[in-house]
Amino acid sequence: MNLEICGWSGGYAKQIVFSPELPDALETVLLNVQTWMAGAIKFTLEYGYPFWRHEGYSGMLYSHAGIIMEMYDHTNFEENKFGFTGFLSGGAATYPQQVRRDWVLRQLSDLLGAQALKPTAYFDKVWTDEFILDGNQVIQRPHQYNGHPLLQESYMHGKLFFAATETATKFPGYMEGAVVSALKVAGSCLSLPPHR
């Protein structure tokens, strides 16, 4: 099996060209699988103490009105690092990071008070950036082709399997789907005859 890495125009990742080639139907599916994180902007805020907990708030947020769409308390187990993590509206990718930060803080201050305006750190990551995309961005429908039957098969005489959250038949596109997919492929690999 020969692999060649090259650009994939219009795709979400780098194309892998297989020799011998994969079936045309599978290549069509692979070109159109929606990658769960591809349209996401993940953010993290750190604070010196969990002021929201002292005010009786959980730190969980779901919104269709502000830049923050989803957020969770991200305090560590030892409870010596405090903050939030979550996802921003996909349209925010077009704004500079400083603008995203300002809007996040404004939304949180409206909800949690002025203490939210003073984080010790802010980070965000636009996943549809130059490390992911090659060519023009193509927005796929959520979970498009996730768990497709062609992604369940092995190829190249049982030497190639696809395992990712996008290939899972249960909970595709989510963390649970990644576990389901990994367990399925691990089981398939363990049942292969010994290599001679």
Side-chain angles (χ1 to χ4, degrees):
M1 172 174 67
N2 297 321
L3 300 179
E4 175 188 341
I5 306 297
C6 63
W8 186 354
S9 62
Y12 277 115
K14 296 294 182 184
Q15 182 179 14
I16 301 173
V17 178
F18 294 88
S19 178
E21 292 183 2
L22 296 173
D24 289 342
L26 175 63
E27 291 213 6
T28 298
V29 168
L30 289 173
L31 281 168
N32 291 294
V33 172
Q34 188 263 350
T35 304
W36 183 76
M37 288 300 294
I41 304 171
K42 192 167 188 179
F43 80 97
T44 301
L45 280 168
E46 296 176 3
Y47 289 92
Y49 66 101
F51 63 88
W52 59 95
R53 290 182 173 188
H54 299 294
E55 298 293 327
Y57 297 113
S58 69
M60 187 181 299
L61 166 70
Y62 293 95
S63 174
H64 296 285
I67 190 170
I68 302 171
M69 296 182 64
E70 185 176 336
M71 183 182 81
Y72 305 93
D73 185 317
H74 198 60
T75 299
N76 66 354
F77 178 76
E78 295 79 11
E79 295 194 0
N80 59 9
K81 294 184 180 180
F82 313 101
F84 301 115
T85 191
F87 298 94
L88 305 180
S89 167
T94 60
Y95 302 119
Q97 186 180 53
Q98 183 62 44
V99 171
R100 292 192 299 267
R101 179 187 183 277
D102 292 345
W103 286 7
V104 164
L105 296 181
R106 183 179 308 148
Q107 184 176 354
L108 288 181
S109 69
D110 288 346
L111 297 169
L112 302 174
Q115 294 174 334
L117 293 170
K118 299 175 183 164
T120 57
Y122 173 87
F123 307 96
D124 70 22
K125 174 65 177 164
V126 178
W127 289 99
T128 53
D129 65 11
E130 69 275 11
F131 299 106
I132 303 292
L133 292 178
D134 186 18
N136 296 325
Q137 181 174 350
V138 177
I139 302 298
Q140 306 288 8
R141 292 187 311 273
H143 308 294
Q144 182 170 309
Y145 291 108
N146 287 173
H148 193 281
L150 290 175
L151 300 174
Q152 309 310 308
E153 297 180 25
S154 66
Y155 297 89
M156 298 187 174
H157 308 292
K159 295 180 180 175
L160 175 65
F161 298 86
F162 291 94
T165 186
E166 292 80 12
T167 68
T169 55
K170 295 179 182 176
F171 311 109
Y174 298 100
M175 204 57 175
E176 293 87 347
V179 173
V180 166
S181 182
L183 290 172
K184 179 182 179 287
V185 169
S188 297
C189 290
L190 290 173
S191 66
L192 291 172
H195 182 68
R196 298 181 196 267

